[in-house]
Amino acid sequence: MKHIRNFCIIAHIDHGKSTLADRLLDFTGSVTDREKQEQLLDNMDLERERGITIKSHAIQMDYLHEGESYVLNLIDTPGHVDFSYEVSRSIAACEGALLVVDAAQSIQAQTISNLYLALENDLEIIPVLNKVDLPSANPEEVTDDIVDLLGCDPSDIIPASAKTGLGIQEILDAIITRIPAPSGKVDAPLRALIFDSVYNPFRGVETFFRVINGTIKKGQNIKFVATDKNYSADEVGTLRLKQQPKNEIKTGDVGYLITGIKEAKEVKVGDTITDAKNPTTEAVPGFEDVKPMVFAGIYPVDTEDYEELRASMEKLQLNDASLVFTPESSAALGFGFRCGFLGMLHLEIIQERLEREFDMTVITTVPNVSYHAYTNKEPDEVILVNNPSDLPEPSTLNRVEEPFIKATIITKADYVGNVMSLCIEKRGEITNQTYLTTERVELSFDMPLAEIVFDFYDRLKTVSRGYASFDYSPIGMRQSKLVKVDVLLNGNTVDALSALLHIDNAYDIGKKMCEKLKELIPRQQFDIPIQAAIGAKIIARETVKALRKDVTAKCYGGDISRKRKLLEKQKKGKKRMRQVGNVEIPQEAFMAVLKLND
């Protein structure tokens, strides 16, 4: 065990985490020249194109240090705030972490939140200053920032460049000398933490785990604690670039397990694996079911593709267990699914993967969050509202609670005013303001999650000229005055455009929605009234004017009553047409509601 080191890399998006992992693999000779490629551990097209890590990966390396052979287990982590639960499980499986900071961009919000996670788990932190070869790098200043944040010695910080390979040798030596070896009892009952799982279409779910106590052997009867199900370990092994089957995985090591499970729901990240005959008494702490934060409807463009969409979603769920969906139907869009996502990036990725991997063109409705409603009849009974149509009647409603988050924004001192006014406009309350340096400020806000779901992130980047970084964590439910705003077209409610809004914003957003829809809905042969309503009260209205044929063109001269007669006749026809007329809503209209401030 003393020759094993388990570590992860934590960093903000785009600070060079995947490239650093590539260099470590090159340097330890874990990859041959034939297998080399950029961002080796990011094996999804989408990850490479966007330069983000969506799924965490693990890989084992051998390294010779002072004549002794060491086994290094690198557990890669996603960098985006939406996947913070996955990051926390990866961190729980390690003894140390490389904290990578970009020498040009300095410390960002995600770096700080992941660092706190690592410190809570008592990890040994090795600060790495990446991209020191860039002309825009500012190593002295950023080194001071890291010293302030960690309270470490400037000599502990390793300057490196993942692109050129500078400092890689020092990083590997630091991993061996500074990170402690895993501690665990070899003779205790088996206790292993699941930190990730992927779905293999031929072999079922592959579970990645870290053994904390005991050993896991091939063919052993094992039990998953949270789901309370027993399986047989068909194959265990270590994670090289290709999987290497072994007979047993000992305490402190990281490996994979194949049990032939076909249901992704049965393997939960954060669960504990133990021996079926001699189970451990205490599970690994920190396990929780992944809770979706943002909900949206996904509908096929052609209603006949509903079954195909269901099959695609189920396959996608096998690879991404944090996707939750239930069938629902809408009068405007037909049959589809109500899906739960971890955040807006997750929603975008799912939509993109449906289009790429399964050729499904889908309509996504306005995203919203999950509210708690309480009625007067039973004030203690919580009604979960994931869809605006689930909200009880206003007359029976006692109160509504909405999820709040603690938002951390790091920005340059010049943009503090702009960022504050944006957050206050989004119903945020400032709780803290700290100057990290004379130039960089950390702002903390308590704000409703619903306000972030729309266009918050884009607008934050706009008001700070791209310099602000943003991170959030949920802090529970708070009471709020919410109303359901319906959109009526030609007098009919379009359920897919309904939204739950705070009473202070309802009028403004209702008016903007009507104006936006007026631009997007094509003109018909009759007038189309577009209305926003709270209950029976209309709060905004726009009209799409009718296309009119010039019926009076043939009347030249003569009495005015002839013209009037023709116009009256036309008016009657339009009125009749409006009663039976059906308004088609273009796809852009559903998406436009997200971009009301453009």
Side-chain angles (χ1 to χ4, degrees):
M1 239 161 58
K2 67 174 192 294
H3 288 131
I4 297 176
R5 296 288 182 275
N6 298 321
F7 69 100
C8 59
I9 304 178
I10 52 179
H12 191 75
I13 303 165
D14 209 24
H15 278 203
K17 185 162 39 90
S18 298
T19 319
L20 182 63
D22 288 352
R23 289 297 83 74
L24 292 171
L25 292 173
D26 286 353
F27 197 87
T28 54
S30 309
V31 211
T32 62
D33 285 345
R34 270 187 66 189
E35 295 164 327
K36 260 186 208 170
Q37 57 172 347
E38 294 288 309
Q39 294 165 288
L40 186 71
L41 294 180
D42 295 347
N43 49 17
M44 211 187 293
D45 291 347
L46 209 57
E47 291 183 311
R48 291 167 174 280
E49 276 170 35
R50 291 188 172 213
I52 53 176
T53 305
I54 296 168
K55 222 43 206 129
S56 57
H57 296 270
I59 193 158
Q60 194 175 74
M61 304 173 268
D62 291 326
Y63 182 58
L64 212 66
H65 177 73
E66 295 174 356
E68 291 195 40
S69 176
Y70 286 85
V71 172
L72 310 180
N73 288 311
L74 160 62
I75 299 172
D76 189 17
T77 59
H80 199 277
V81 54
D82 285 3
F83 308 112
S84 53
Y85 177 64
E86 234 177 284
V87 177
S88 77
R89 297 298 82 209
S90 298
I91 286 176
C94 298
E95 275 81 32
L98 296 181
L99 178 74
V100 179
V101 179
D102 185 330
Q105 294 183 49
S106 190
I107 291 162
Q108 304 285 322
Q110 196 61 42
T111 321
I112 292 183
S113 72
N114 284 347
L115 173 68
Y116 288 154
L117 267 179
L119 291 172
E120 276 169 31
N121 282 291
D122 293 335
L123 262 61
E124 180 62 42
I125 309 286
I126 300 175
V128 175
L129 189 59
N130 197 16
K131 306 193 187 182
V132 289
D133 60 322
L134 285 184
S136 58
N138 196 344
E140 291 81 12
E141 195 180 305
V142 181
T143 301
D144 293 344
D145 293 355
I146 298 173
V147 169
D148 290 347
L149 180 69
L150 283 176
C152 63
D153 208 77
S155 59
D156 293 344
I157 300 168
I158 304 170
S161 162
K163 194 162 70 182
T164 60
L166 170 77
I168 301 299
Q169 167 90 51
E170 288 78 7
I171 291 172
L172 284 163
D173 291 345
I175 288 168
I176 286 165
T177 52
R178 291 200 221 166
I179 294 177
S183 58
K185 298 172 187 148
V186 187
D187 45 5
L190 169 66
R191 180 165 167 241
L193 165 73
I194 299 175
F195 62 81
D196 197 14
S197 66
V198 295
Y199 184 74
N200 178 330
F202 306 108
R203 315 195 58 183
V205 180
E206 297 174 357
T207 312
F208 300 153
F209 61 87
R210 144 85 200 269
V211 184
I212 294 171
N213 288 339
T215 58
I216 184 166
K217 295 187 175 76
K218 186 178 174 178
Q220 182 177 354
N221 270 342
I222 53 162
K223 178 174 143 188
F224 288 0
V225 175
T227 54
D228 202 23
K229 294 199 173 177
N230 292 10
Y231 302 100
S232 162
D234 296 344
E235 184 182 307
V236 293
T238 51
L239 293 149
R240 296 296 164 113
L241 200 54
K242 303 264 189 303
Q243 294 175 342
Q244 281 191 344
K246 295 270 179 79
N247 283 329
E248 65 173 343
I249 306 276
K250 297 190 170 78
T251 311
D253 213 346
V254 171
Y256 71 92
L257 161 75
I258 294 174
T259 51
I261 301 173
K262 285 282 188 277
E263 284 279 319
K265 296 187 195 77
E266 293 182 22
V267 181
K268 294 185 186 295
V269 171
D271 196 357
T272 308
I273 305 174
T274 187
D275 187 29
K277 296 194 184 86
N278 179 16
T280 178
T281 47
E282 49 182 309
V284 181
F287 170 72
E288 54 184 81
D289 277 327
V290 179
K291 294 183 188 69
M293 303 287 276
V294 171
F295 293 83
I298 287 187
Y299 293 85
V301 172
D302 188 348
T303 37
E304 289 168 7
D305 296 341
Y306 174 69
E307 281 305 323
E308 207 177 314
L309 179 63
R310 178 196 287 274
S312 306
M313 299 275 273
E314 280 168 358
K315 282 181 188 154
L316 201 51
Q317 196 178 35
L318 293 172
N319 271 321
D320 184 351
S322 41
L323 168 67
V324 186
F325 63 89
T326 50
E328 73 162 0
S329 63
S330 142
L333 298 169
F335 288 105
F337 296 96
R338 190 92 201 146
C339 307
F341 306 96
L342 299 175
M344 286 306 283
L345 177 82
H346 192 207
L347 162 69
E348 253 178 73
I349 285 165
I350 294 290
Q351 200 179 340
E352 187 103 354
R353 284 181 73 180
L354 279 172
E355 285 181 12
R356 284 193 182 194
E357 296 171 25
F358 304 101
D359 286 337
M360 296 294 310
T361 16
V362 292
I363 296 175
T364 313
T365 62
V366 181
N368 61 0
V369 297
S370 184
Y371 299 96
H372 287 177
Y374 297 87
T375 55
N376 289 324
K377 289 180 197 162
E378 302 194 14
D380 299 333
E381 190 185 343
V382 179
I383 299 169
L384 264 181
V385 181
N386 290 338
N387 199 339
S389 57
D390 300 340
L391 193 72
E393 282 295 308
S395 53
T396 63
L397 198 60
N398 180 343
R399 66 184 193 279
V400 182
E401 292 181 351
E402 63 175 330
F404 265 67
I405 56 163
K406 178 179 165 47
T408 309
I409 298 168
I410 294 180
T411 181
K412 285 196 164 181
D414 314 356
Y415 305 118
V416 170
N418 298 353
V419 171
M420 274 186 175
S421 53
L422 169 67
C423 292
I424 289 161
E425 180 197 326
K426 296 281 189 184
R427 298 193 284 134
E429 290 172 17
I430 186 155
T431 55
N432 198 359
Q433 178 178 357
T434 322
Y435 276 81
L436 300 170
T437 66
T438 50
E439 271 299 292
R440 297 164 62 74
V441 189
E442 181 184 358
L443 300 167
S444 298
F445 290 89
D446 286 356
M447 56 201 297
L449 179 66
E451 296 288 340
I452 281 176
V453 165
F454 279 118
D455 52 355
F456 178 78
Y457 199 59
D458 295 346
R459 286 185 62 199
L460 177 68
K461 287 290 184 204
T462 311
V463 298
S464 67
R465 301 201 185 150
Y467 277 110
S469 64
F470 168 69
D471 181 58
Y472 65 84
S473 55
I475 52 172
M477 310 293 280
R478 294 188 187 176
Q479 191 171 339
S480 197
K481 283 188 177 173
L482 297 169
V483 288
K484 180 180 166 203
V485 176
D486 289 317
V487 173
L488 291 85
L489 282 187
N490 202 7
N492 302 322
T493 307
V494 182
D495 54 356
L497 289 173
S498 299
L500 282 175
L501 301 169
H502 192 266
I503 200 155
D504 299 347
N505 304 344
Y507 288 87
D508 287 348
I509 293 183
K511 190 166 184 293
K512 280 182 182 167
M513 275 163 121
C514 291
E515 285 167 0
K516 201 81 175 185
L517 288 170
K518 184 185 176 184
E519 294 167 21
L520 289 164
I521 288 175
R523 290 170 72 181
Q524 313 273 344
Q525 289 287 325
F526 51 93
D527 280 4
I528 309 170
I530 303 169
Q531 295 160 308
I534 299 175
K537 184 181 176 190
I538 305 292
I539 56 170
R541 169 177 172 143
E542 293 286 333
T543 309
V544 178
K545 283 292 179 199
L547 291 166
R548 291 224 162 154
K549 185 180 169 191
D550 190 358
V551 287
T552 56
K554 60 181 187 234
C555 295
Y556 45 91
D559 195 70
I560 181 74
S561 60
R562 289 178 61 201
K563 286 187 181 177
R564 190 165 292 143
K565 190 175 162 190
L566 284 168
L567 288 168
E568 286 295 324
K569 194 175 168 191
Q570 185 188 29
K571 205 173 181 181
K572 273 186 190 152
K574 297 277 179 207
K575 198 172 175 185
R576 235 190 348 264
M577 205 186 271
R578 198 180 127 186
Q579 282 166 359
V580 295
N582 194 4
V583 185
E584 286 288 312
I585 308 169
Q587 158 78 25
E588 294 84 66
F590 294 106
M591 297 321 292
V593 184
L594 302 181
K595 302 186 174 73
L596 287 177
N597 287 316
D598 288 4

